[in-house]
Amino acid sequence: MIVVLSSSRASEFLDVIREAVVESLRRAVIHLPPDVRDALRKAYENEDSGSARAQLKAILDNIELAEKLGKPICQDTGLILFFVRVGYSFPGLPVIEKAFIEGVREATEEIPLRPNTVNPFTGKNPGDNTGRYVPFIHWELVEGDDLEFTVVPKGGGSEAVAVLKMPPPGKGVNGVKEAVVDAVLEAGAKPCPPTVVGVGVGGGADIATILAKKAACLRKIGTRNPDPEIAGLEEELYNAINELGIGAMGLGGRYTVLAVHIDYAHRHPATYPVAIVFQCWALRRATAIIKSDGTYSVYQ
C-alpha cells in the first residue's frame, strides 16, 4: 500500500536527512571503509617491488594522517553521488532531494569539501558541489518505511578513464575480457592504482555504465558475484590485470587492482555493451539508514 504523506509530516525529516548527509560525507571523505583499508594493507604486506611498497606505505600513512587530523583523505573530494533505497511509506519521501542538496552544501563548507561541480559549457563553478543533476541520485523504491542511502564522493581522475565498449556480440565473454584488459592498459597510472575495476555487461549503454559504477563503488572488496561463472571471471580478470605489472601508482608491482567486480543485465541480440568504471584506491563511501521515527545511523 502506498501512503500519501502530508507536507507537514514530510518536512519534519528535512533536518534529519540533511544531518545524516553531512555526517555520512564527513565519514566517507576522512575514513576509508574497513574492507578497503584491509585490501590496501594486504597489498602492502605482499608486494615484492620496493617502489610499489613505498607507494602503498605512503597511502597507508595518508589514511592514518587523515583520521588523526580529521581532514579529507584526498584533495579531490569528488562528484557527490547518492545511491538510494527508500520505502514507499517513508514519511520524508517528498523532501529527500532537497535535504540531499542542502546537506551537500553544508558539508562543502563545514568539512570542507573542494567545490567540484563545473558547468560544462560556461566553466562556471557554483562553489557548493551542487548544480544541474548534481548531486546525482540513483533511486530505488522498495517496500517499507525506511530510507537507506550510500554516498560516494567519486574522484575525477579515476572517472576520466571510464570507457564503454561495444565488442561484436559473437565474441561473447572473450570480448568482455579483451575490453577490460585493454581498458586497464590504456588507463595505466591515470586512475591512481591500485584500483577497483567495475564491469557492467549487457543492457544498453546507460544500463551497463550504471552497473559498472555500482560494482566499482558499492560492492565490498572480498565479495564475489553470486553466480559461480561470473565469480570465476572476476578472479580470472583480477589475476590477468595484476600480471600486467602496472602496479601502485603505475610504478610496477603485483597489485594493479584490489578487486574486479562484475554485474550484468540481459541485452539486445544486436549489441553487447561492456562498461568499465575505475575506482581509485581511495574508495570512499558511507551508508546512512534513517528510520520512520526520525532516528538514523551511519556506517561503512
Side-chain angles (χ1 to χ4, degrees):
M1 180 178 68
I2 298 177
V3 178
V4 179
L5 303 168
S6 69
S7 58
S8 60
R9 177 75 174 113
S11 64
E12 297 174 6
F13 282 81
L14 183 63
D15 288 342
V16 174
I17 300 171
R18 186 179 68 242
E19 289 173 8
V21 167
V22 175
E23 183 176 338
S24 298
L25 272 168
R26 191 187 309 276
R27 183 81 63 87
V29 300
I30 295 174
H31 305 272
L32 276 189
D35 61 298
V36 183
R37 295 173 63 120
D38 291 346
L40 288 165
R41 189 174 294 110
K42 179 181 176 182
Y44 170 71
E45 292 171 352
N46 292 283
E47 182 56 73
D48 298 324
S49 165
S51 57
R53 278 180 61 85
Q55 292 300 313
L56 290 166
K57 178 64 163 57
I59 288 172
L60 292 171
D61 289 346
N62 182 81
I63 293 169
E64 292 184 6
L65 192 60
E67 292 187 346
K68 180 180 179 180
L69 299 177
K71 301 295 183 182
I73 295 167
C74 179
Q75 75 277 9
D76 179 3
T77 49
L79 192 74
I80 309 303
L81 309 174
F82 288 96
F83 295 88
V84 177
R85 285 172 51 88
V86 59
Y88 295 108
S89 302
F90 177 65
L93 187 60
V95 301
I96 293 174
E97 185 172 4
K98 181 180 180 181
F100 281 178
I101 292 171
E102 290 186 2
V104 167
R105 285 173 174 157
E106 185 175 331
T108 298
E109 184 175 351
E110 285 189 9
I111 294 174
L113 307 177
R114 189 177 75 182
N116 278 335
T117 54
V118 179
N119 184 306
F121 297 104
T122 68
K124 183 177 179 180
N125 186 329
D128 60 7
N129 279 304
T130 69
R132 182 171 171 80
Y133 298 127
V134 291
F136 197 85
I137 305 171
H138 295 266
W139 295 96
E140 183 179 353
L141 293 170
V142 297
E143 294 291 338
D145 59 1
D146 296 340
L147 165 64
E148 177 180 317
F149 68 80
T150 298
V151 63
V152 175
K154 184 68 168 67
S158 59
E159 190 72 0
V161 291
V163 295
L164 173 69
K165 300 194 177 186
M166 293 283 182
K171 281 194 172 183
V173 175
N174 285 333
V176 175
K177 295 177 185 178
E178 290 177 11
V180 173
V181 173
D182 286 349
V184 173
L185 282 170
E186 185 175 349
K190 294 175 185 176
C192 295
T195 61
V196 174
V197 174
V199 183
V201 181
D206 55 339
I207 298 169
T209 304
I210 290 170
L211 292 176
K213 181 160 285 188
K214 292 174 71 174
C217 299
L218 300 184
R219 261 184 59 186
K220 289 189 175 183
I221 297 174
T223 63
R224 282 280 175 258
N225 190 291
D227 184 316
E229 290 188 9
I230 299 176
L233 180 58
E234 290 176 339
E235 184 69 19
E236 180 182 350
L237 284 169
Y238 170 83
N239 291 328
I241 292 170
N242 281 331
E243 288 175 2
L244 296 175
I246 296 170
M249 296 301 174
L251 296 179
R254 296 179 59 189
Y255 293 92
T256 301
V257 290
L258 298 174
V260 176
H261 294 159
I262 302 174
D263 200 358
Y264 76 98
H266 282 60
R267 63 178 178 86
H268 187 283
T271 64
Y272 206 116
V274 180
I276 301 101
V277 172
F278 294 80
Q279 169 58 57
C280 69
W281 66 262
L283 199 172
R284 296 160 291 183
R285 52 172 144 77
T287 300
I289 298 179
I290 303 174
K291 300 293 187 180
S292 58
D293 62 2
T295 61
Y296 73 87
S297 58
V298 176
Y299 67 94
Q300 289 180 295

